[in-house]
């Protein structure tokens, strides 16, 4: 979780931030070269943003685990799904 979209922005992150200008929480994922991947979801309350954040993480694990099981390369290397290689 980060407070500012420009702080500690790195490849393959899923981020939850509070946007002071909009007074909303935003959840989104980054791909290679820290580029935006998918859409940015906005929420008025933290609990809704937290739920979306963990859902994105869960889907990332499921997606990459399935790719490894199908002998395809995952989006990036991680011990979470690489132990299945």
């Amino acid at each position: 979780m980060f407070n500012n979209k420009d702080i500690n922005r790195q490849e393959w992150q899923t981020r939850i931030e509070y946007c002071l200008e909009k007074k909303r929480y935003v959840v989104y994922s980054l791909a290679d070269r820290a580029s935006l991947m998918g859409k940015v979801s906005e929420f008025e309350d933290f609990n809704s943003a937290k739920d979306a954040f963990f859902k994105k993480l869960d889907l990332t694990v499921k997606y990459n685990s399935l790719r490894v099981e199908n002998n395809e390369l995952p989006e990036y290397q991680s011990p979470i799904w690489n132990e299945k290689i």
Side-chain angles (χ1 to χ4, degrees):
M1 293 192 280
F2 304 94
N3 289 327
N4 184 302
K5 65 181 178 123
D6 299 319
I7 294 176
N8 197 28
R9 190 176 169 113
Q10 297 177 19
E11 295 182 332
W12 304 111
Q13 288 178 333
T14 298
R15 297 173 62 97
I16 182 172
E17 301 165 354
Y18 185 73
C19 179
L20 290 172
E21 296 85 27
K22 296 181 180 182
K23 293 186 168 69
R24 296 175 71 87
Y25 294 92
V26 294
V27 176
Y28 60 95
S29 294
L30 301 174
D32 56 340
R33 296 183 304 277
S35 59
L36 182 64
M37 180 171 67
K39 69 174 191 165
V40 176
S41 301
E42 297 183 6
F43 303 92
E44 292 182 5
D45 65 283
F46 177 76
N47 284 329
S48 296
K50 177 189 69 166
D51 291 344
F53 176 81
F54 283 114
K55 182 176 181 180
K56 276 187 173 286
L57 291 179
D58 183 55
L59 290 173
T60 298
V61 171
K62 288 177 179 174
Y63 174 75
N64 285 292
S65 294
L66 182 62
R67 289 186 61 85
V68 169
E69 286 175 20
N70 291 331
N71 295 318
E72 298 173 355
L73 291 175
E75 294 173 307
Y76 58 95
Q77 302 302 316
S78 170
I80 296 171
W81 46 80
N82 285 352
E83 62 189 34
K84 297 177 184 177
I85 293 178

